[in-house]
Amino acid sequence: MNFVSTRGEERVSAPEAIVRGMAGGGGLFVPKRFPEVSKEELADMLPLDYPERAARILGKYFDEYDGEGLAAALRAAYAKFEGNDPAPLVRMESGVYMLELFHGPTCAFKDMALSVFPYLLKEGCKLLGVKEKILVAAATSGDTGKAALEAFAGKEGVKVIVFYPEEGVSKMQKLQMCTQDGENVNVVAVRGNFDECQNGVKKIFRSEKCNAYIKEKGYLLTSANSINVGRLLPQVCYYFSAYLDLVSADQIKMGEKVDFCVPTGNFGNILAGYYAKRMGLPVGTLLCASNKNCVLTDFFRTGIYDAKRPFYRTMSPSMDILISSNLERLVFEASGRNTALTAERMKQLASTCRFSLPSEEISGLQESFYAATASEDDTVECIYEFFEEYGYPMDTHTGVAMDVAQKYLEKIEDDTMSEKRPMIVVSTASPYKCPQDVLYALTGNDVKDSFKGVKRIHLLTAMKVPEAIKSVRYKPIRFKTAVSPDKMFSALQTFLG
Ligand SMILES: *Cc1c(COP(=O)(O)O)cnc(C)c1O
């Protein structure tokens, strides 16, 4: 399938969209149209397992790729997950369902896409006849970085550099990244927040000088962030699979609508849910859950996106984001796919930190999205109560989503106009990824050491400690470099040598 830019006339093949990562002029690639999944096709997928379902869905977007190769790559990718289902759906006694996306090699949902991304990239290069080696650069709010490092470590012909906000990730996230093996990877702390990190990476992408340097070194630059469709679209699959699991388990009838609640930062995960809906999956409302950095909540309620506001560090660091990259793709859809208007709005955002949508566009979005915020106290309370009531521990990001889902369900309860539908809460990380904050939420105890947190959570919940968490404990710290945001390219130069 062809991909078009949100900001201009470009039109490229799937491999080109993946290998380049980003369109010209700062635009993002989006599928030329949303491929439809009919009711019959949905029913056909019922008996399939996750990799097979994913091959059907992804194949619709990436039809230039060999179908069997793609299916084999997906099978291999998800074989690295713990347990026999990479995206299990768990029913809570309260009636909501948890879609657990944290059973991959780094314990966060980024593994769902990044496990298959190396194949998409490598095969894409082959299809395009690219001779250069690949340089993957990523900004991370904590989890993308580790998932990208793990996915590419030791792979031939690829180098990976990850930038993370020095003070803006959990200790465990930092430890996971800085102990990463592999001669082809590098990790750099940036003295700034995630927005500055992401901006720095985007600048490198746009700069002719940087690109020329990278080319001269024999590399082609690409991105592992969800601005890359190779990262974004594999995420569509778990929305389909969760729905099918509900049908298989006789929880809903085929065709009945369900809601999803998604803890949101860069808007990649929830956008994939929106794409699933546009492809014909019976989705009612997509709940966009934010922490105290509630720029998206305000946007969905008022139509005004205003990033000029205080930035807060919260206990859900992967959602501490004020410039939500993938929102551009939604704004593009809201405008009726108007590239000039989208470019104009994004230019405004870059220069004034703000843009707004007219009422007909925002009310269109409000038909699909509901947005709300969970404060730090709400999140702690929710994690505590859920464990006390149902014995189910969740991580801090998922806690934000659960709090928002509960607020929404209460609102619906009082509102005779709204329809109550099955609710799927997307669980994006293992509780062991932010062990100190989770332990605090569960017990009120503060511990300085991440592994003390892990141990106590294990004693309290009996939840298995994933290998990925255990294994970083005794590994040496390999990466210690920290730079200011304007020195990110220099760090990249040092890495390429
Ligand atoms: C990345 C991340 C999020 C936010 O996802 P987006 O796609 O950026 O909206 C939420 N929770 C966790 C644990 C994450 O790693």
Side-chain angles (χ1 to χ4, degrees), residues 108-110 141-144 173 226 231 235 262-270 318-319 321 324 326 395 397-398 428-429:
F109 90 93
K110 307 296 197 292
S141 56
D143 294 327
T144 291
Q173 288 173 325
S226 49
R231 231 315 281 288
Q235 297 176 176
V262 188
T264 297
N266 227 353
F267 210 74
N269 195 351
I270 195 168
S318 301
M319 298 157 69
I321 295 176
S324 219
N326 278 293
D395 104 289
H397 304 80
T398 309
T428 48

Side-chain angles (χ1 to χ4, degrees), residues 15-16 19 65 119-130:
E16 191 173 350
V19 171
Y65 288 74
Y119 167 80
L120 294 173
L121 195 57
K122 197 172 160 215
E123 197 59 25
C125 285
K126 222 192 259 169
L127 289 168
L128 296 174
V130 169

Side-chain angles (χ1 to χ4, degrees), residues 264 289-295 297 312-321 372-376 379 396-397 400 404:
T264 297
S290 296
N291 65 23
K292 203 174 166 191
N293 294 295
C294 57
V295 61
T297 306
Y312 300 108
R313 277 172 50 198
T314 73
M315 59 177 78
S316 43
S318 301
M319 298 157 69
D320 290 345
I321 295 176
T373 299
S375 70
E376 294 288 89
T379 307
T396 44
H397 304 80
V400 169
V404 166

